[in-house]
Amino acid sequence: NADKAKNEAVFEGVKDIPRISELDWKNTKKFEEVSSQSRLHPLIEANDVIMICGAYFGDEGKGKTVDDVCRNPKIGMVVRVNSGENAGHTVFHEGKKFVFNLAPSGLLKGKVNLIGPECVIDPISFMEKELQQLIDAGIPYKENLFIGNAHIVTPYHKLLDFIQSAANSSTLKGMSPIHSSKVTKRGIRLDHIFNDKEICKKRLEKDMESYTAALKLRNLSEAELLKQCEAMNADGNIRMPLHVLNFVKAADKVQYMMDMYEQRVVKNPAFPNRRDVTYAIRDTLSKGQKVLLEGPQSYWLSNASEKFWESSTSADTSAHGLLATSRFNPQKYKTLVINIHKTPASSRVGIGASPSSYIAQDYFSRQSIQTLNDLPAGACTDFDAIQKAFVSSIQPNGVVKPTVYKDGTGEYGIGVAMAISSALHHGECGATTKKPRIVGFFDCVAHFEVNEAQGPYLSISALDRGDDYDKVGITIAYVYYSTQGLVAESNGRVYKNCDIIKAGDPLPTEQILTNCHPIVMLFDGWRDSPIYNKKRQPGTPLPKGCQDVIGAIEHFTGAEVISIGNGPNADNFIYLKKVGGTQEAEEVAANFPNADKAKNEAVFEGVKDIPRISELDWKNTKKFEEVSSQSRLHPLIEANDVIMICGAYFGDEGKGKTVDDVCRNPKIGMVVRVNSGENAGHTVFHEGKKFVFNLAPSGLLKGKVNLIGPECVIDPISFMEKELQQLIDAGIPYKENLFIGNAHIVTPYHKLLDFIQSAANSSTLKGMSPIHSSKVTKRGIRLDHIFNDKEICKKRLEKDMESYTAALKLRNLSEAELLKQCEAMNADGNIRMPLHVLNFVKAADKVQYMMDMYEQRVVKNPAFPNRRDVTYAIRDTLSKGQKVLLEGPQSYWLSNASEKFWESSTSADTSAHGLLATSRFNPQKYKTLVINIHKTPASSRVGIGASPSSYIAQDYFSRQSIQTLNDLPAGACTDFDAIQKAFVSSIQPNGVVKPTVYKDGTGEYGIGVAMAISSALHHGECGATTKKPRIVGFFDCVAHFEVNEAQGPYLSISALDRGDDYDKVGITIAYVYYSTQGLVAESNGRVYKNCDIIKAGDPLPTEQILTNCHPIVMLFDGWRDSPIYNKKRQPGTPLPKGCQDVIGAIEHFTGAEVISIGNGPNADNFIYLKKVGGTQEAEEVAANFPNADKAKN
C-alpha cells in the first residue's frame, strides 16, 4: 500500500465533488448478434484500404481482427508500414504458434505481405527470431513476403537504447536511437548494404558517433557495458542478442557490421526478396484489390500523440501515421479504420500517465516488482472477493475510495489488490517475464479523441471477461486533484483541484493527466449469462449488462461498436447490430566554370547513342482556356472540408501565392501550420508592407484564425524577435487570431548541435535534426513544460542537453572555440546564430539560463500568443461546417518520410500525408483537397542530394565554394538569352544533354553551369539576403508522377510566365541511368545498369541511384511573341500554343490536372484553366460514399 497516504489525500479532496449528471444516463440501445458476412465484410467491400489500429496503449488484441479481415478474398496485400520489432502479435497456423514482430499476420494466409520503407528493422534478429520459425516448420515465404527500403537497426542502436533509457521505459529494441538516426538522416537503410560499400561504411562511422559519445559522457567502458548486457540475459530471457554482444567485443566495429550484413543479409538466400512497397501498394489498389494496413502499437503510444508524448514510442502508430507512411492517395481510395480496445481490464505498459488505471502506472516499477514472482506467494489470488470489494469502493459520485484488502499475505490497497489479481486472472503480464501490465477501466475520455480522429468503428476485445464480474466499470470523466495543490496549464487551459474533464473536453497533456483520477460508472456484470464462446450458444441474446456497457461506450465516445471478443481465438467474435437501428457500411571556384567536364563528357559518351524513346514523339492535343478563380478554384474548395497546399518538388515552389488565393474564400475559417519549423517560410505583402514568416501562417493578415500545431517545432525567442516583432512594429494586432499549441521547443543547444554535427551547406542551422531527435526520443521539452512544474522542466532540459555535452566531448571542442566559430558566422551581418544562442554558450548555468529566458520572454511576456489545443480546434471548426486550410511547409520530396530522397530530406513529414497525420481530424468523415504546387521553367531545389533534372549536380556550387553569387567573376553568364539558346541546342534528338561549352568575357563554362548561373540571376533563384544560388532544372515528370499518385491530381504551376523568355521550354520525361564507374546498383530489389531508362510511372529508385540518373528532355516552343506575364497580357487572351503544349505534356506524363499557372509574383497573378470541350470535376473522391450528399439532400 505504498501510495496509501497519497490516495487518502486525493480521496479526501474529491470525495465531496458533486455527482455529475452523466452518471444518471440510462442505456436504451439494444444489440443483437449478426454474422461477420453481414457486419464486417460490407465495411471491407465499401472501402479500398483497411487499417486495424490500436485505440489505447497497445496490447488491445488487434491480431484477432487482422486475422478475421484477412479472410476476405478481396484483401490482396497485408502491410506493416512503420515502427519495428517493439510491436508484435501471435498467430496460430495448423496448431502451431508463431510469434511475429514485423512480419504481417497475412504471412500464413496466402496473402502478399510487405514490410515498408518507414519500418525499422534489425535484419539479424528478424531472420533469427521471426523467419527461422517458418524455416523450421518448412513453410515457404519467399514468394509472399517482401521488404522495402527499411531503416536498419544496428547493434549500436540497441546498446544506445540500453545506455540512455530509464528503467522500465524501453523495450531495448533500439527504437528511440534508430528513429533519431532516421530524422537526422545519419543511419543506413537496406539499399545501402546492397550498394556502394564505402558509402555504407562512411555512414555507419558517422552515425556511430552517438554511441561513442554516449560512452564518453558516462565514462562507461565497453568491458563494463558488456558485463551489464550479459547480466541482463542471465535469466535466460535474451534481452540483448548475441550479434549485439559481439559488436561490443569487436575491434573494428564498422567492419564487423559490414561483414555481418554482407553474409547474413545480402548473400543470404533465405533473406526475403525486396520491393518498392509504396509503389506496390498503389499498384495493388489500381488493380481493384484491397490493402490491409496492420497497425503496430496504438493511437496513444504514437510519437505524434501530443497528450502522452513523453511516454510514447518513436513512430506515429496512429491511423494517421499508417496513412502517411503508406503513400497512397487518400482522395482517390477510401479508407476504413477499425479501432481496437480491450475491456474489462484495459491495459498499458511502460511509464507515463494512465488516469483510468487501478494504480499509478509506475507503481510496480517503483516497488521493484519486475515479475509476479516478486510478490509473496499466494498474494491477491481471490479474484472474486477482490473484484467485489473493489466495486464496493466506488462511491456514488464515481470516485474510488482507497479501502484496504487483506489476505494471508498482508494488507493491500484495494487498487493494488485489483491490479495484481487482474494481472493474474486475465493473464495481463508478459508471457516469459511475467511482468504485470497495469490495468484499469475502459477510458471514454481518451477514446472520445480516438473516435474523433480515427473514426467510429470499434471492436472491443475480451468483453467476455465481464462474465467474472459483479459490476463492470468504465471511466466517463476525470477529476483533477494534485496533493501539492498545483495549478497546472495545458494548451492555455488552467486546471485546479476538483476540476472535471469529461469525454469531449480537450484532453490535457501527461503532466496534468498524472494528477487526474477516474470518475467511474458501473453496470451489472453478466455472471449468470456468460458470453465466453465455450459457454454460450451462438445467437443467444446478449445479457443486459453487456448491452449497457456497449451502449454507454457508444454514448460517451461516439463510437459504433461492430464486434466484441468472446475468447482468445481468431474466430471468437460476436458481431453486432443495433436492434431497430440503422447501420451504414462507411461514413467515412578554380575549375568552377566547368568542374564536371570530364564526368559530363563520360556520361554523354555513354548515353549519346541510346535509342530515342517513343514518348519523345508524343503530340499534344489538349487545349486550355482561361477561366475565373470563382469557376475553377472555389468549386474545389466548396466541395471539400480540408484544403492542403503542398509543395510537389523540393520546396520554394511558390506555395504562398496559392495559400493567399485560397484564403480569400469566405468559408475558410482557419489556417494552420501543423508541422516542421522555422526552416520553412514565406513572404506576405499587406498594405504595401512586406512580412517574412517562418511558422506563422499566411492567414494571419487576412482576418482568419491562425494556429501553430503541437507537432511544430518552435524557438519561441526567434519567433518573437523575427516574426511577431514585425507585427508589433507595424501596430498590427494578433492576439485574437494567432494561437499556438503544445509545440516542441527548439532550444539554443539544438541550434548549436545542428551547427556542430552538420556537413557544410547541408542544414539551415535552425536546429531541425536535433529537435526532431529529441522529439522521437521523448527527451526534449514542449510549451506546456515551461508553463508548469519548473523542476520537471529543469530535469528534462538537463537530460536532453547531454547530447550537446557529448558532441563537444566527442570532438574535443571547447565552448570558447565554439563561440568563436559562431560569431565568425555572423560577421557578415547575416545572423545565422542568434544572440540568445550565443549567450547560452557563455552561460555558466545553462539550464537556469534557459529557464529564466523562457520565464521572462515567453511565460510572463504579454506579447506571446495565446495558447490552444490545436487538433481539438481543427475538429471543432470542421464540426461547425467551416473549412480548414493546412499550409504545407517544404514539400513531398523533402519529407523525412520520402524514402527516395531521405538522405537529403528535412526532419519532418512535410508531404500531404504528414499534414494529414499531424492535424488529427478524421479523414473518413471530412473530405480533403490537395493542391500540389510546382514551378517551371527553372524548377529549383536547395541543399544537398540528388536532382536528376537539374542543369548541374546538386552539390556543384558548394563543391566549388560558391556560397553566394558574389563569389562568381563579375559579369559571368549574364547573357541569359544567348545562354538559353545554346543550352537548348545542346539537347540531342534522343533527349540527352550534350556537355557543350559556353564562352563569355569571364571564361569558358560548361553549358549546364552557364544555364544554372544565368537562371539564378535571371529568375532570382537565390537567397534574398545571402544571394546563395539555388540549383535549377527542368520540370521533372518522373518524380511528379509519384507525387500525383500519392497526393492527388490537382496541380498549380507557378512561374510559367518565365517561358516568355525562352526559345524552347524543356521538361524531363524520363531518366537514363549511367555511372562513370560502371556501378550496377540496386534499389528495392530492382537492378540498375548503365543506359537503363526510368520513365514516368516506373518505380522511382533511391537517392544513391538517382545521383547517377540524367534527364531525357522533351522540348516545346517557348512563347516569346505571346507573353503571358500579367503586365504584358490582356486577361482572356488565348494561351500561346507552346504554353498549352507544356501544360498538356505535364498532364499526359504525370496524370496531373493543371488548374492554374502563375504569371507574375503577386497573390492574384494566376491564370485559372479549363480544358476546352473537356469536363472538370470539382472532386473525384467521395469519402462518405454511402450518403455523401446527405446534408445537401
Side-chain angles (χ1 to χ4, degrees), residues 10-11 13-23 355 396-400 443-446 475-482 488 493-508 512-513 515-520 556 872:
V10 170
F11 180 71
V14 303
K15 67 180 182 181
D16 296 323
I17 61 170
R19 178 181 169 94
I20 61 175
S21 60
E22 285 81 358
L23 286 167
N397 64 354
V399 300
V400 182
D443 192 327
C444 293
V445 188
T475 299
I476 63 166
Y478 308 148
V479 55
Y480 174 82
Y481 193 88
S482 161
R493 180 175 172 178
V494 175
Y495 296 86
K496 59 186 185 301
N497 280 354
C498 297
D499 280 354
I500 306 296
I501 304 165
K502 299 180 181 180
D505 289 344
L507 207 64
I512 287 86
L513 289 170
N515 288 317
C516 286
H517 313 278
I519 294 177
V520 183
F556 288 109
Y872 182 90

Side-chain angles (χ1 to χ4, degrees), residues 425-465:
H425 189 70
H426 298 309
E428 285 293 348
C429 50
T432 303
T433 65
K434 303 299 179 186
K435 183 176 180 179
R437 299 181 184 125
I438 305 293
V439 297
F441 308 103
F442 185 104
D443 192 327
C444 293
V445 188
H447 192 76
F448 185 93
E449 179 173 321
V450 177
N451 185 81
E452 289 291 289
Q454 297 196 156
Y457 299 115
L458 175 62
S459 177
I460 305 174
S461 67
L463 198 57
D464 58 306
R465 291 178 176 179

Side-chain angles (χ1 to χ4, degrees), residues 41 57 65 103 145 161 212 214 216 224 297 375 391 413 472 490 510 624 672 739 766 788 923 1014 1030 1065 1176:
H41 292 278
F57 289 96
T65 301
L145 175 62
D161 203 357
T212 310
K216 282 192 174 185
E224 179 58 29
Q297 286 96 7
L375 295 167
V391 166
V472 174
S490 179
E510 202 154 22
F624 304 86
V672 194
F739 302 90
K766 304 298 184 185
N788 287 296
S1014 192
R1030 299 182 184 127
V1065 174
Q1176 295 286 343

